[in-house]
Structure formats: C-alpha cells, structure tokens
C-alpha cells in the first residue's frame, strides 16, 4: 500500500504549494472584502476587482498546466490516482480561493464527474466543456427542507414525464454554488418512480439549465452561523411546474442512487483532504502566535499546557492524513463497496480533527481568533458545516459500525 508522494505528482505539489502560499493567499483578504461592493450592493455579484483577481490567478494556473487535477483515471486530465490527487487537495485546502483557481472546486468537480461518467454525448457537449474550462459554475441540488435528507430515500421533489418533457415541482435548499452568477447548470435529484421500483430505484437525476428554465425561483440564501457565504452561496430554491426536455435525465429512470454513489466517494475524499490542509494552516497560525506573543512575562508556548496542545494537534493531523490516504488508496483499487467504510471513517475524522485544531488556534489568538483579522473563524464555520455535508457524522458512524458488527454476526450464524 503506497500512500506516499509519487515522482509524477511531486513537482505538481511543489508548484501548487508555491502558487497557493505566494500568489493566492496574499490576495484572499482583498477578494473577500470586495463582497457587497458590486453596483446596488448585491452580495452575489462580482466586482471588477474580484474578477481581475480570480480570473488572473486562473489564467496563470492554466498557463502553468495546473488545471483539472481532480480528473483521476481520465484521459482528459493528468490521469492521477486518487492518492496522488489527495496530496494536491491538501495543498489547495490552505486557501478558500485556491480550489477554483485550479478548477478543482466543489461542487463542480463532482458534477463534472457525473457528466463525464454518466452523461450522453449531447449532455457533455452542452455542459462539460464550459465547466472543464472554468467558464461556468454548477450546483448540486439534493437536500430538501421538509424531509430528513440524510436518508436520501426520503427525497420527495417531484419529476413527472409529460409529453416531451419533465415537469419539476418542489423545493431544494443548501444548493451550494447556486448563488454564483456564473452558475448555469443544476444537477438535481428527484423522485420519478413509485414504490414498486424499490427503495433505491425511485429516484433519478437531471441536468437543469439554471438560466433559461421558467418556474425556478431563488427564495433566499441559507446562512451559516449568520453569514451568507457570498458570492458562492447556499440557496433555497423553489421549482413550480418547471419544464425541462425529456433528454435532461442522466443515465436513465430510477438510477439516481447509482449516480450518487459514483459521485460522493471521490467528493468526500476531496473535502477531507482539503480539511487536512486547513488543519495544517491552523496549526501554523497557532504555533506562530505561541512563539511571538507573551503573557505573564513568558511566550504563550511556555504557558499552561500549550506545548502539549501543539503536540496533540500534530499527532491528530498525521493520523487523519494517513486515514484519508488509505481511503483514497481503497478507492483506487476499484471496489467502491470495499472503500465505502473507509470513506465514512475519514468523513467523520477529518472534519473533526481540523475543527479541533482550528478551535485551539482560535483559543491561542484570543479575541482576534474569532474576528475577521484571521481566517480561523471562517475556517471553523466551514468545517463545522462539513460535518453535515455529504452525510452527517451519525450516518457515517452507522455505516462503520454495521460493517464492524457484520463480521461477528456472520461468525455467530456460522457457529
């Protein structure tokens, strides 16, 4: 089991790390402070300066060939393994802006995987090119406000085939990325079949034109601890008799869960490795603060249990990284069922470790740690939200526990 940095990916890691630290992170604050300065104060519109920063960085990344790394096992990209990409995702996790600079941001990577893996030639021609080039954005619409969406069989959003088109009715929320004015396509999960199709055969997925479909209304941005996460946004959207072409369905009727499982595994690894990157950045901030600030006549590093806290965070990060890499390796073996419990493990552990590390860094910074003067508060909010995204902790622990117990149940039956 080789979880290390391969010779193929090592130069890419070096280049990505240098660009993130030297060119992207120095522009983060300026980019963020432009939110709400567009004409009319629209928080979900970009200023000229934001466009200049973002697109300028993206152009540099493309010129250097640092683009679409996430296309693992594909002739469209580098053809990296999941393990190789995981190391890159960690580097990108240091900056909220970095994933988009390299066209490796959620939810676009997962949506592009769906289109590339399951889309028809016509669907790929319409949507995939713009996404791969970073010219448009997308959103993934699954979660609903009126059902417990952690059990995706509860999804009740209606899609009914009438003549030459599907008629969509219902509401979705936490549609991440739907607030971005460049969002042009939704990947949407809907119920199309009856009970006779079985628990996992009642849902289908669709590609919806977000700009040119009547009957779509964005009700509000969802806030995360009171913040709207503009200009990305997590929108609450209502569909009222929204009609889309019959060929908007992906793969076929009743195959929504099949598509979801193909999409979520890689996406969870990407999220978790970016979380490791955030943990590393938080630990760096913690350590720098501890050796440059004094209290009671001594550096903070020498007060209380701070040295022990730093040591514990280093050990926790190393353990979480290794677990993430093992899950990535399991994905690379080509057996999604065998990889599933490992992916569930990292989905619980990586956000938890990163969140605890950010919390300790905030504590070391005092009041500054929860203010706008460091990235820590924003990191904390994002990581706490990640404990819900792509399945809450309790659901993943259930998967892990059932897998663990299954061995003993089988032994008992055999005995």
């Amino acid at each position: 089991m080789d979880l290390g940095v391969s010779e193929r990916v090592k130069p890419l890691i070096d280049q990505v790390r240098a660009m993130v630290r030297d060119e992207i992170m120095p522009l983060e604050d300026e980019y963020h402070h432009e939110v709400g300065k567009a004409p009319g104060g629209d928080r979900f519109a970009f200023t000229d300066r934001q466009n200049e920063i973002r697109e300028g960085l993206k152009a540099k990344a493309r010129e250097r060939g640092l683009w679409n790394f996430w296309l693992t096992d594909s002739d469209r990209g580098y053809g990296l393994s999941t393990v190789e990409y995981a190391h890159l995702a960690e580097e990108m996790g240091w900056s909220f802006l970095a994933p988009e600079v390299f066209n490796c941001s959620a939810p676009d990577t997962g949506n592009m995987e769906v289109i590339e893996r399951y889309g028809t030639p016509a669907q790929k021609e319409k949507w995939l090119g713009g996404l791969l080039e970073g010219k448009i954005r997308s959103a993934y619409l699954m979660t609903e406000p009126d059902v417990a969406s952690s059990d995706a069989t509860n999804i009740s959003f209606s899609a009914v085939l009438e003549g030459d088109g599907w008629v969509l009715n219902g509401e979705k929320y936490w549609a991440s990325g739907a607030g971005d004015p460049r969002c042009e396509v939704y990947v949407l999960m809907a119920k199309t079949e009856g009970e006779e199709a079985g628990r996992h055969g009642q849902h289908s997925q669709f590609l919806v034109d977000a700009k040119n479909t009547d009957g779509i209304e964005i009700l509000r941005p969802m806030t995360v601890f009171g913040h709207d996460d503009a200009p990305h946004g997590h929108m609450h959207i209502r569909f009222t008799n929204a009609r889309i072409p019959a060929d908007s369905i992906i793969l076929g009727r009743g195959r929504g869960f099949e598509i979801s499982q193909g999409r979520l595994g890689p996406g969870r690894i990407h999220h978790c490795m970016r979380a490791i990157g955030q943990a590393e950045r938080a630990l760096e901030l913690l350590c720098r603060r501890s050796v440059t600030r004094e209290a009671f006549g001594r550096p903070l590093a020498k007060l209380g249990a701070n040295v022990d806290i730093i040591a514990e965070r280093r050990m926790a990060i190393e353990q979480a990284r290794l677990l993430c890499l093992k899950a990535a390796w399991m994905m690379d073996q080509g057996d999604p069922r065998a990889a599933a419990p490992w992916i569930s493990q990292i989905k619980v552990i990586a956000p938890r470790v990163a969140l605890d590390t950010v919390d300790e860094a905030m504590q070391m910074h005092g009041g500054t740690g929860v203010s706008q003067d460091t990235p820590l508060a924003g990191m904390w909010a994002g990581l706490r939200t990640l404990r819900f995204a792509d399945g809450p902790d309790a659901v993943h622990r259930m998967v892990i526990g059932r897998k663990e117990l299954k061995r003993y149940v089988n032994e008992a039956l055999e005995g």
Side-chain angles (χ1 to χ4, degrees):
M1 184 185 299
D2 188 355
L3 307 181
V5 175
S6 69
E7 290 303 313
R8 174 171 58 171
V9 81
K10 185 179 186 303
L12 296 177
I13 292 174
D14 292 341
Q15 292 177 75
V16 168
R17 178 181 294 135
M19 189 169 181
V20 170
R21 315 285 173 91
D22 300 339
E23 299 178 67
I24 300 175
M25 287 171 57
L27 293 172
E28 282 181 338
D29 286 346
E30 183 181 358
Y31 187 87
H32 179 73
H33 290 155
E34 287 288 302
V35 173
K37 294 182 179 179
D42 185 354
R43 292 177 56 80
F44 293 92
F46 294 110
T47 65
D48 290 342
R49 180 55 180 153
Q50 281 177 309
N51 289 329
E52 181 184 357
I53 291 172
R54 185 190 62 250
E55 298 305 318
L57 289 169
K58 287 166 67 175
K60 289 181 180 179
R62 291 199 71 171
E63 289 168 5
R64 298 168 188 174
L66 306 176
W67 194 257
N68 285 337
F69 297 122
W70 59 273
L71 277 164
T72 53
D73 192 27
S74 169
D75 57 9
R76 292 179 184 269
Y78 283 89
L80 301 176
S81 68
T82 311
V83 169
E84 288 173 318
Y85 178 74
H87 288 287
L88 289 167
E90 178 181 337
E91 297 300 331
M92 288 182 270
W94 278 67
S95 165
F96 76 89
L97 191 56
E100 183 179 355
V101 168
F102 303 105
N103 211 41
C104 294
S105 55
D108 294 329
T109 53
N111 291 340
M112 285 188 275
E113 281 186 315
V114 166
I115 298 170
E116 187 199 32
R117 186 179 302 181
Y118 305 113
T120 65
Q123 290 170 341
K124 293 177 183 179
E125 182 178 357
K126 185 172 184 178
W127 302 117
L128 192 55
L131 288 167
L132 287 171
E133 292 173 10
K135 293 181 178 179
I136 64 173
R137 299 295 306 269
S138 64
Y140 189 63
L141 278 58
M142 176 177 278
T143 309
E144 298 177 14
D146 296 326
V147 299
S149 303
S150 56
D151 177 0
T153 62
N154 285 335
I155 296 298
S156 60
F157 186 103
S158 171
V160 177
L161 185 61
E162 293 184 0
D164 62 352
W166 293 91
V167 178
L168 309 179
N169 281 284
E171 294 184 11
K172 297 286 187 180
Y173 75 162
W174 294 111
S176 298
D180 192 315
R182 298 165 298 160
C183 180
E184 293 195 8
V185 59
Y186 300 148
V187 178
L188 179 144
M189 180 89 144
K191 187 171 183 179
T192 59
E193 315 304 310
E195 301 294 329
E196 69 281 355
R199 189 162 177 260
H200 292 96
Q202 298 176 33
H203 296 81
S204 306
Q205 293 200 27
F206 299 86
L207 293 169
V208 180
D209 188 325
K211 299 285 192 183
N212 301 296
T213 303
D214 294 332
I216 300 178
E217 177 186 6
I218 294 182
L219 300 178
R220 57 177 179 160
M222 304 300 297
T223 61
V224 181
F225 296 108
H227 297 282
D228 60 11
D229 202 18
H232 184 66
H234 314 279
M235 312 309 278
H236 183 178
I237 307 174
R238 177 188 294 145
F239 291 72
T240 305
N241 295 323
R243 192 175 185 89
I244 60 175
D247 61 4
S248 300
I249 195 166
I250 307 172
L251 196 59
R253 297 183 65 144
R255 303 186 73 175
F257 273 84
E258 179 182 346
I259 296 168
S260 291
Q261 291 310 305
R263 179 188 191 278
L264 288 174
R268 286 167 176 154
I269 289 173
H270 302 172
H271 273 312
C272 290
M273 287 304 289
R274 285 192 293 265
I276 299 299
Q278 290 183 65
E280 286 285 5
R281 184 177 182 182
L283 182 58
E284 178 181 287
L285 290 169
L286 188 163
C287 291
R288 290 188 185 279
R289 183 78 168 190
S290 74
V291 298
T292 56
R293 284 292 179 106
E294 290 187 0
F296 307 103
R298 305 181 71 188
L300 296 181
K302 294 186 177 181
L303 291 178
N306 285 339
V307 168
D308 285 343
I309 288 170
I310 290 168
E312 292 291 344
R313 297 331 306 155
R314 167 49 62 206
M315 291 185 287
I317 292 170
E318 295 298 330
Q319 292 173 75
R321 177 187 291 110
L322 287 170
L323 186 59
C324 286
L325 290 171
K326 180 169 182 178
W329 185 87
M330 292 295 294
M331 282 286 295
D332 285 335
Q333 305 316 299
D335 185 348
R337 186 177 295 275
W342 294 96
I343 294 169
S344 287
Q345 288 182 53
I346 64 166
K347 185 57 180 61
V348 174
I349 291 297
R352 181 191 294 174
V353 166
L355 196 61
D356 288 346
T357 307
V358 170
D359 188 74
E360 293 290 3
M362 292 167 73
Q363 192 72 15
M364 189 70 76
H365 281 76
T368 300
V370 296
S371 76
Q372 70 271 39
D373 290 342
T374 77
L376 294 169
M379 291 163 65
W380 194 96
L383 289 164
R384 186 61 187 85
T385 306
L386 186 55
R387 291 182 60 195
F388 300 115
D390 291 348
D393 290 359
V395 171
H396 288 291
R397 290 197 301 266
M398 179 177 66
V399 171
I400 298 162
R402 283 178 175 175
K403 177 69 174 178
E404 195 69 17
L405 286 170
K406 189 175 181 180
R407 291 187 297 158
Y408 301 99
V409 171
N410 291 339
E411 286 176 9
L413 291 174
E414 290 171 2

